[in-house]
Amino acid sequence: MFWMVNFLIIALKFNIGFYLAMIIGLLLSTRNSKIIRRSIVASLCMTMIGFVFIYMVLPPQTLSNLVVINILSYVFGVFIFTMLNVGTVLKNINVKPKRKKNVIQAQSVGGIKLTKALFAGIVALVIVVIYVPVARILSTDEIYQTINVKKVKETEELVSTKETPIAMSTKSARNKMQKMISSVPNYSAYKLGTTTAQVIDGEYVYVSGIEYRSFWKWNRFKKMPGYFKISATDINAQPEFVKTEMKYVPSAYLWQDAERNIYASSSSYARMGAVNLEIGDDGTPYYVTTLYKEYGLSGKKRYDKFKVGVLNSQTGKTIVYDLKDTPEYIDAPLTSAVASSMNNYFGKYGKGWLNSIFTKDDVKQPTSNGIYSSGAVTPLMSKSGHLLYFTDFTSDDAKQDSALGYSLIDARTGIMEYYRDNKGMMDSDGAISIAEKIYPEKKWDAKMPILYNVEGVPTWIISLLDVNGIFKGYVYVSATDSDIVVDGNDAQKTLEAYKVRLSMKGSNNRNTTKTELESISGEVQRVNKVVIDGTETISFLLKGNNTVYTISTSNNIYSMFLKEGDKVSFKANKSKDDKVSTIEDITIEDVTP
């Protein structure tokens, strides 16, 4: 019953304006029993309407909401009082009018005062409606400064798909889960819920809850039997249905509704995004949503101050945490909606509100090729195991397809890393167009484009799906040279083939930090030389080393003299899973000066 009492209290707060209107009406009228009864009945009806409104809409108890809704309810209350008491509204005077003329005059005085009260409410509403958007415009720069953004020049390199997992499309994962839903007990009562990415026991996975199909299904079963889990990186993996009872879920009703349970404990905060299913380290399922405080009447927010509502779906217990205190088992306390909002604000208001409307200098907009928040962002896992939200930015000019950079937002800290290659990159729209033209006769869809740094080259990695959402392969496209395209159905093998293709084009590690390089030396066992587009590329093997090293003569002219038996030393990225590595320089004994 806690949620009902809480909702009733909230409804009373949002109806203060209506109650005030009833009191003012009574003060301006003869307080006979008939008018009092009508006012009480109207107030009770409005309280019930308010309760239903709160339950359906879940408005946060922010200053802007309380002021606007109470002004509206006040204006509505004055109007209702007048309509319910037509012909009986009198000025509260001690002497009863003895003549009809006096009665009419008294009614007129009371009506004028009610009209003034109504007019005052309308004026207050107009002032607030004008003030709020103006105040938000004036606070644009202040809000922008709360975005914790790091502009980086060097990005983490994709050396191995084991260290940095390449995820398949969520559409493909959901397709597999949908086919397995018939294995769920009483499956006709349920449907597949939303899919979220997270890390469970060190493995990058997709998780989907199941939801009730209707009120009647909820009323019959009252509990969910479990959720689906599938590897996000293994294209051959099959979904696993994890059996665990879940009572409080988003599609439940009344006291078991997950979203409304969280709201009952956090109604003073605004919500951003839907509730997402997260699995704890001990297997306990939780529903999580991001909360924030609105400041002042304008309702401005801060991107550096978030709260997190966490609901135990088995017990219904809700705890609201500061972002920094969120338990470690919650991989994404910040929802994709937060990342989407942050990207939009960062791209649009970097040089102020006026610039975003008129000159539009350095205004950039996020693309819509992601899988979360209506295409706003795509999740990925970093080498450190953190969940990140990715998106690329493009110009608002439809004729341009160049990327204006990309961002990675940490789903736990909210820190944004923004990277922009000054040499020009193709945006995700262009990459998708190239990928879909590889097999035009099959009409495969290119989904989930993510930009990685491969051998210093910005590279789009895209999933290909058939019309049924079945995964068909990966496509690696250079963001700076659309002629470099490699496809395959294994992420690591396709990466290795792509690196070979890059080496033949004379790629270098211009965006890779020197600290990532390892000193290597040895004796050359095999050498292969290829000339492509006038550039000679040398590939070689060292004795006792299975890695294929490649170098372009454009990087070191002396590399053209490399032969079997030479003793060499150089620096390269080294990984046990990396079969191909491109190097930037080389020292050949008795050859290089």
Side-chain angles (χ1 to χ4, degrees):
M1 297 298 291
F2 165 76
W3 70 274
M4 292 186 65
V5 174
N6 212 322
F7 275 40
L8 180 59
I9 293 173
I10 297 170
L12 292 173
K13 290 181 181 179
F14 278 107
N15 276 323
I16 289 175
F18 187 89
Y19 306 143
L20 180 61
M22 293 293 107
I23 293 171
I24 291 174
L26 290 172
L27 292 175
L28 295 176
S29 69
T30 55
R31 293 186 292 276
N32 59 53
S33 59
K34 187 175 183 180
I35 293 178
I36 293 173
R37 282 198 304 271
R38 287 179 177 179
S39 300
I40 292 174
V41 170
S43 297
L44 291 174
C45 290
M46 193 61 184
T47 301
M48 294 175 62
I49 293 172
F51 183 89
V52 174
F53 171 78
I54 297 300
Y55 182 84
M56 298 300 295
V57 180
L58 303 181
Q61 294 185 73
T62 59
L63 180 60
S64 57
N65 276 348
L66 286 169
V67 169
V68 171
I69 293 177
N70 272 301
I71 292 176
L72 285 171
S73 66
Y74 168 81
V75 172
F76 182 66
V78 173
F79 175 77
I80 291 297
F81 186 90
T82 304
M83 292 299 100
L84 290 177
N85 301 281
V86 172
T88 62
V89 178
L90 299 170
K91 186 177 185 288
N92 185 22
I93 54 178
N94 295 322
V95 180
K96 295 182 180 181
K98 297 180 179 180
R99 295 188 300 273
K100 185 176 181 180
K101 181 179 178 181
N102 291 340
V103 172
I104 295 174
Q105 184 179 5
Q107 288 177 337
S108 177
V109 171
I112 289 172
K113 289 195 173 184
L114 273 179
T115 301
K116 287 181 178 180
L118 179 63
F119 180 73
I122 294 174
V123 170
L125 181 63
V126 171
I127 292 173
V128 171
V129 168
I130 294 174
Y131 171 80
V132 170
V134 172
R136 287 181 179 177
I137 290 172
L138 294 176
S139 62
T140 297
D141 290 340
E142 181 185 349
I143 296 173
Y144 183 86
Q145 295 302 320
T146 65
I147 300 176
N148 192 347
V149 58
K150 296 180 180 179
K151 295 184 178 181
V152 296
K153 295 181 179 179
E154 297 175 330
T155 58
E156 186 178 83
E157 184 172 2
L158 175 61
V159 177
S160 163
T161 58
K162 289 185 178 179
E163 292 181 0
T164 308
I166 305 299
M168 63 178 170
S169 169
T170 53
K171 185 176 180 180
S172 181
R174 287 182 61 82
N175 179 274
K176 293 182 178 182
M177 293 177 185
Q178 194 66 56
K179 293 178 179 178
M180 288 284 291
I181 202 166
S182 59
S183 64
V184 177
N186 302 307
Y187 69 90
S188 62
Y190 310 113
K191 60 183 178 180
L192 195 64
T194 56
T195 301
T196 57
Q198 53 195 274
V199 181
I200 299 178
D201 295 330
E203 182 185 9
Y204 188 31
V205 299
Y206 289 134
V207 171
S208 287
I210 55 175
E211 304 293 347
Y212 296 107
R213 288 186 177 274
S214 67
F215 171 84
W216 309 111
K217 300 298 184 183
W218 165 77
N219 190 50
R220 178 182 176 186
F221 294 104
K222 294 291 198 304
K223 290 183 180 180
M224 287 291 182
Y227 61 89
F228 281 106
K229 179 180 73 171
I230 188 174
S231 170
T233 58
D234 184 357
I235 61 175
N236 297 314
Q238 292 300 315
E240 173 191 357
F241 184 73
V242 181
K243 293 183 178 180
T244 181
E245 287 192 346
M246 301 163 62
K247 185 177 179 181
Y248 300 86
V249 297
S251 60
Y253 291 82
L254 302 178
W255 63 92
Q256 288 186 359
D257 187 307
E259 192 171 7
R260 280 155 183 80
N261 269 275
I262 294 176
Y263 174 80
S265 300
S266 60
S267 60
S268 59
Y269 297 101
R271 292 167 293 118
M272 191 174 290
V275 291
N276 294 325
L277 177 63
E278 290 258 7
I279 308 303
D281 294 337
D282 59 354
T284 302
Y286 297 90
Y287 277 98
V288 180
T289 193
T290 306
L291 309 168
Y292 67 94
K293 181 179 179 180
E294 289 188 354
Y295 294 86
L297 189 57
S298 65
K300 64 184 178 183
K301 59 176 160 294
R302 295 182 60 92
Y303 287 105
D304 57 354
K305 290 186 179 181
F306 285 106
K307 299 278 188 178
V308 184
V310 180
L311 167 75
N312 185 315
S313 69
Q314 295 176 331
T315 66
K317 182 179 179 181
T318 299
I319 301 177
V320 177
Y321 297 95
D322 286 329
L323 180 61
K324 60 182 178 61
D325 298 325
T326 306
E328 289 294 327
Y329 56 77
I330 304 298
D331 293 307
L334 296 180
T335 62
S336 57
V338 174
S340 175
S341 175
M342 196 179 295
N343 282 324
N344 280 302
Y345 217 94
F346 172 76
K348 190 173 183 179
Y349 299 117
K351 294 188 176 180
W353 180 81
L354 286 175
N355 177 75
S356 71
I357 299 298
F358 299 107
T359 58
K360 296 188 176 182
D361 181 29
D362 198 32
V363 170
K364 44 195 173 287
Q365 64 181 23
T367 60
S368 57
N369 296 315
I371 61 173
Y372 283 172
S373 294
S374 301
V377 294
T378 297
L380 62 91
M381 191 175 80
S382 67
K383 284 183 180 179
S384 60
H386 278 211
L387 195 67
L388 308 174
Y389 294 119
F390 165 86
T391 196
D392 65 309
F393 293 85
T394 188
S395 170
D396 60 355
D397 185 349
K399 296 180 180 179
Q400 296 186 24
D401 67 348
S402 59
L404 299 181
Y406 68 89
S407 71
L408 292 171
I409 298 175
D410 193 306
R412 277 197 62 85
T413 65
I415 295 174
M416 171 194 287
E417 287 192 352
Y418 175 73
Y419 172 78
R420 182 168 184 174
D421 191 314
N422 294 325
K423 300 192 181 208
M425 298 187 299
M426 175 197 317
D427 65 15
S428 57
D429 289 321
I432 285 175
S433 178
I434 290 174
E436 290 182 340
K437 290 177 182 177
I438 296 178
Y439 303 104
E441 73 284 357
K442 297 182 179 180
K443 297 181 180 180
W444 289 346
D445 291 326
K447 299 290 184 181
M448 203 170 160
I450 300 179
L451 198 64
Y452 289 91
N453 170 15
V454 180
E455 298 285 0
V457 177
T459 301
W460 287 107
I461 300 181
I462 308 163
S463 294
L464 286 178
L465 309 179
D466 68 9
V467 293
N468 296 315
I470 298 174
F471 177 84
K472 291 299 180 181
Y474 295 104
V475 179
Y476 289 55
V477 183
S478 169
T480 55
D481 186 348
S482 59
D483 290 333
I484 304 179
V485 181
V486 176
D487 69 290
N489 55 19
D490 181 272
Q492 180 63 31
K493 291 180 179 178
T494 308
L495 173 62
E496 293 168 3
Y498 178 75
K499 287 184 177 182
V500 172
R501 186 78 177 89
L502 285 179
S503 67
M504 294 178 178
K505 279 281 191 174
S507 168
N508 59 55
N509 299 65
R510 63 182 179 275
N511 293 326
T512 304
T513 59
K514 297 299 180 182
T515 56
E516 294 175 341
L517 303 178
E518 177 183 346
S519 296
I520 298 173
S521 60
E523 182 179 337
V524 177
Q525 185 177 29
R526 291 285 188 274
V527 178
N528 181 60
K529 300 180 180 181
V530 179
V531 177
I532 296 179
D533 296 337
T535 301
E536 185 175 27
T537 300
I538 294 90
S539 301
F540 62 94
L541 289 170
L542 299 179
K543 286 185 177 179
N545 190 331
N546 293 326
T547 302
V548 177
Y549 297 102
T550 64
I551 185 171
S552 171
T553 55
S554 61
N555 288 335
N556 187 316
I557 191 66
Y558 293 97
S559 61
M560 70 171 68
F561 301 111
L562 187 69
K563 59 182 177 56
E564 285 87 349
D566 282 342
K567 293 183 178 180
V568 296
S569 59
F570 51 87
K571 290 184 177 181
N573 284 296
K574 182 63 179 174
S575 170
K576 62 181 180 180
D577 301 310
D578 198 13
K579 304 300 181 185
V580 180
S581 181
T582 301
I583 62 177
E584 192 173 351
D585 200 5
I586 189 170
T587 299
I588 307 173
E589 190 175 294
D590 299 328
V591 176
T592 54

